[in-house]
């Protein structure tokens, strides 16, 4: 392995003093532009990497934001990241992204990697519970701001950006009730996560408000895989007393469930009306088109990055904010339209 | 901002020598386990970040691999990343991911961020052309290995992992010809990229080998968005002399095109047979199910990470390899089955 290039190597190469090199690399006004250009060019040629550490101060930023997410396999997260990149680009920041693949251990390792990469701030959709978030403390102690989005926790000094998942779950369920559904099942993920838990509570409240009955057999908690959708579909096909409505916590599972049910000879929305969540492109590809709740992913990403950057620039103190709630929107489509006049 | 914590701070806190702290943090055998544990705990409490730079040698690795990709919005890339994470986890590496959002300027900025984050190695699906890859030179000069996957270039010392896109394009087109198609259109992305260019050349060769005619009106080069699929569909609907087959370079566009064409009253596969590419889950959700070419994304990710890690461990020299070609597989399904007996 090569030795790390230092300012002394650059100085030697150009036959100037190391302090001139140091000041040039830090854009000091005492050094003229021509010299700066020459020094920067040589630094680049030699493969010099700015040594923030040696200064013993976080005076200079790395212009890097860390983003920690559960899994990079959803359209929703792709839109959030696109929104973040858009804002970051405008302010000259780059994003470093890490996924925890639904492993708490990996989320903790990723936090360490982000910390050692000296990110200026951190945007996190977390897997962990409030008791397990010691991995964020080193950031807070150093004054590196953190912001939670989507999957969030209530932690002091860590603001969060969310949608009102309770209300969104309520709205989706109330829509099915309006369409005449009287036996509405719910297909969701791990209820330990705020997003699924809140939607589930919204679903329960909507049923209760309309005096629609509920029991635990109507709830399917799965890992939200395509295989899970097939299994749920098979269980429904075998039921004597079938549901007439289904609120599914994401569009991929909803679309897959719809296709599986149709193969079993069940009509959608005639026999069972189905509503999904997120407003992914797949909702417009399946037949009938899938009703859903629009989740403003790109806006969430933009706002999250903008808030953090504004804090880093000293324009505002993001840590004074507790929660920002974005608007969701019910999108009724063919998969729930049981009456001509809605 | 706080001052950066040094080994001297840890030494002072524990009332021991800085050299003991340094050796403990580097897992030196001369320091006993109990002391190491205590020092590591204090380091963590104080928010110490290992100062690789001060050693002026890349003797210690950061256990981090950088991954640079065009855009994190495809199922294919999600599977590649899952494969990489799987291998990386097994060897104690973490991944840092950056997306270029189809911007060459951003790819260059991302390379700089990765370099400054001191990644041990780099896995790249590149946007750029052979003339523009100066941003990788600092890595090569430092002996930091790079490996290209999927979107690759021919560069000395940078091995690549690909599928045979030419043969895959040939196979998809030959399959349509076997199904009786005589007028086969091609819907693809920017032909400057090896993946799309090679598939296109495979398509042309299959047509030529079977004496099926071709002209430029049969080629649709788009940005591969859902909007592009709708536009192509509209153009097809207005044509007097319609195609009877379509080879589409990804499944999302193929599925979306199929749904749009069906809405125009065109039967699939009766009027037009359609084959996609990648074998995304959407192929099994649309009706009819979409024929495609299976692209082994997870295997590609695993192999890429494994090759790089093996190089870093000194078990093998990845730079002696030029190209690794993975196997693809034609998956015929309902969207191209025009004869009962295939």
């Amino acid at each position: 392995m090569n030795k790390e290039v230092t300012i002394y190597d650059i100085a030697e190469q150009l036959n100037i003093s190391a302090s001139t090199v140091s000041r040039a690399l830090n854009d000091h006004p005492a050094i003229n532009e021509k010299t700066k250009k020459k020094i920067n060019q040589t630094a680049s040629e030699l493969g010099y990497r700015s040594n923030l550490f040696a200064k013993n101060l976080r005076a200079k930023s790395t212009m890097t934001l860390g983003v920690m997410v559960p899994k990079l396999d959803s359209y929703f997260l792709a839109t959030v990241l696109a929104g973040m990149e858009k804002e970051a680009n405008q302010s000259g920041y780059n994003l470093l992204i890490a996924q925890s693949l639904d492993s708490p251990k990996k989320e903790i390792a990723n936090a360490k990697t982000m910390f050692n990469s000296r990110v200026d701030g951190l945007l996190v959709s977390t897997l962990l519970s409030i008791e397990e978030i010691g991995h964020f403390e080193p950031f807070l102690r150093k004054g590196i701001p953190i912001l939670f989005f989507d999957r969030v926790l209530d932690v002091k000094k860590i603001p969060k950006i969310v949608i009102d998942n309770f209300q969104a779950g309520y709205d989706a369920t109330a829509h099915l009730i309006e369409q005449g559904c009287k036996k509405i099942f719910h297909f969701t993920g791990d209820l330990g996560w705020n997003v699924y838990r809140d939607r589930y509570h919204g679903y329960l409240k909507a049923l209760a408000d309309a005096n629609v009955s509920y029991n635990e057999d109507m709830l399917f908690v799965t890992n939200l895989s395509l295989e899970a959708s097939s299994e749920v579909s098979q269980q429904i096909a075998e039921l004597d007393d079938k549901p007439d409505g289904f609120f599914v916590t994401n569009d991929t599972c909803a679309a897959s469930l719809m296709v599986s049910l149709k193969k079993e000879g069940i009509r959608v929305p005639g026999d069972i009306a189905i509503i999904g969540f997120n407003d992914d492109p797949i909702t417009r590809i399946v037949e009938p088109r899938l009703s859903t709740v629009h989740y403003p992913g790109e806006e969430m990403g933009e706002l999250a990055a903008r808030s953090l950057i504004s804090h880093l620039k000293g324009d505002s103190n993001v840590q004074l904010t507790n929660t920002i709630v974005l608007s969701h929107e019910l999108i009724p489509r063919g998969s729930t339209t049981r009456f001509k006049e809605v």
Side-chain angles (χ1 to χ4, degrees), chain A residues 10-26:
Chain A
I10 301 166
E12 195 185 335
Q13 174 98 359
L14 294 171
N15 203 17
I16 55 178
S17 77
S19 73
T20 303
V21 173
S22 169
R23 285 188 294 172
L25 293 173
N26 286 298

Side-chain angles (χ1 to χ4, degrees), chain A residues 242-259:
Chain A
K242 291 189 172 43
D244 56 7
F246 234 114
F247 166 36
V248 186
T249 204
N250 78 37
D251 289 330
T252 321
C253 287
S256 167
L257 178 69
M258 182 163 80
V259 171

Side-chain angles (χ1 to χ4, degrees), chain A residues 99-132:
Chain A
Q99 59 179 346
S100 54
L101 289 179
D102 294 341
S103 152
K105 200 177 148 192
K106 187 134 180 56
E107 178 174 324
I108 292 166
N110 286 339
K112 210 166 172 178
T113 302
M114 290 292 177
F115 189 72
N116 286 327
S117 289
R118 292 163 175 74
V119 294
D120 291 337
L122 204 55
L123 299 155
V124 184
S125 179
T126 186
L127 281 179
L128 293 172
S129 66
I130 196 84
E131 298 81 19
E132 306 169 296

Side-chain angles (χ1 to χ4, degrees), chain A residues 66 68 107 122-126 136 146-149 151-152:
Chain A
M68 291 171 53
E107 178 174 324
L122 204 55
L123 299 155
V124 184
S125 179
T126 186
F136 294 128
I146 305 178
L147 195 148
F148 283 142
F149 65 93
R151 295 191 185 175
V152 306

Side-chain angles (χ1 to χ4, degrees), chain A residues 80-92 95 298 301-302 305 309:
Chain A
V80 171
L81 288 171
M84 287 177 178
E85 294 275 11
K86 197 172 148 190
E87 275 298 319
N89 273 349
Q90 283 174 11
S91 301
L95 302 186
E298 189 164 350
E302 278 180 35
I309 290 167

Side-chain angles (χ1 to χ4, degrees), chain A residues 64-85:
Chain A
T64 304
L65 303 181
V67 186
M68 291 171 53
V69 297
K71 211 171 172 183
L72 290 165
D73 68 347
S74 71
Y75 176 81
F76 165 69
L77 264 181
T79 60
V80 171
L81 288 171
M84 287 177 178
E85 294 275 11

Side-chain angles (χ1 to χ4, degrees), chain A residues 9 19 31 43 46 109 112 149 187 190-191 208 213 236-237 243 279 288 299 308 319:
Chain A
D9 300 321
S19 73
I31 313 292
L46 294 175
K112 210 166 172 178
F149 65 93
F187 177 173
D190 187 338
L191 295 176
S213 66
I236 299 303
D279 201 17
E299 289 81 354
L308 206 60
Q319 296 178 338

